[in-house]
Amino acid sequence: FPVTIFAPNGYTFNGQVLTVSGNYYDTLINAVGCDSMVILNLIVNQLSATTINDTICAPISYIFNGQSYNTSGTRTATLTNALGCDSVVTLNLVVNQPSASSLSQTICAPASYTFNGLSLTSSGTYFDTLTNAVGCDSIVTLILTVVPASNLQASIVADGDTLLCA
């Protein structure tokens, strides 16, 4: 007779606890005093385990076993595999952070300032998105001030330096 169990459980047959798939035999005496052969076809299905290592960038969330995660850590879910046994899935999640930086620059017209591959000649705030060391967005903000050229000499203090435009 076939019997299916799930590891690490055992099945008791003929006074023994069996944990390995196979055919097992026992000879008994039937009701009329004759030998009766019992054949056990034991199938032992194994527990399965899977580990997922993943990295995301905040503020993105990671969906695991129906839950949303946005912090680093280890999560475990026990599911049922195709054989009906427990299947343990472990998620090792690393959540990296984006970064931001800004710089201020002052130039004299008609000079230009190169930023993000562009030659800028107008005052304004400009942005560029790069990738930081951990693979997340790095937003760089440039605050550019363009001082118009004039007949008078103007003195501007920018970041502790004196800029003279003539």
Side-chain angles (χ1 to χ4, degrees):
F1 60 98
V3 173
T4 301
I5 64 171
F6 301 104
N9 298 319
Y11 184 81
T12 302
F13 179 72
N14 192 22
Q16 294 180 320
V17 177
L18 306 173
T19 59
V20 177
S21 294
N23 290 323
Y24 298 90
Y25 305 92
D26 190 11
T27 303
L28 306 172
I29 305 295
N30 66 15
V32 292
C34 297
D35 285 349
S36 176
M37 175 79 64
V38 177
I39 301 171
L40 169 66
N41 177 9
L42 182 63
I43 301 167
V44 180
N45 290 324
Q46 298 297 318
L47 168 80
S48 62
T50 303
T51 299
I52 301 168
N53 297 307
D54 212 344
T55 302
I56 61 172
C57 294
I60 295 172
S61 294
Y62 191 97
I63 305 298
F64 176 70
N65 195 31
Q67 297 290 322
S68 177
Y69 297 99
N70 60 9
T71 58
S72 295
T74 300
R75 281 76 179 192
T76 303
T78 302
L79 310 171
T80 302
N81 67 17
L83 299 172
C85 299
D86 283 348
S87 176
V88 177
V89 180
T90 301
L91 169 66
N92 296 314
L93 182 64
V94 175
V95 179
N96 289 325
Q97 298 299 317
S99 57
S101 61
S102 63
L103 62 117
S104 297
Q105 187 67 42
T106 303
I107 61 172
C108 297
S112 65
Y113 187 84
T114 302
F115 180 73
N116 190 21
L118 300 172
S119 182
L120 305 174
T121 58
S122 299
S123 295
T125 303
Y126 301 91
F127 303 94
D128 190 11
T129 304
L130 306 172
T131 301
N132 66 16
V134 294
C136 297
D137 284 349
S138 174
I139 308 298
V140 179
T141 304
L142 167 67
I143 301 167
L144 181 63
T145 303
V146 179
V147 177
S150 66
N151 291 336
L152 301 175
Q153 189 175 39
S155 177
I156 299 171
V157 176
D159 296 334
D161 295 328
T162 301
L163 176 68
L164 299 174
C165 298

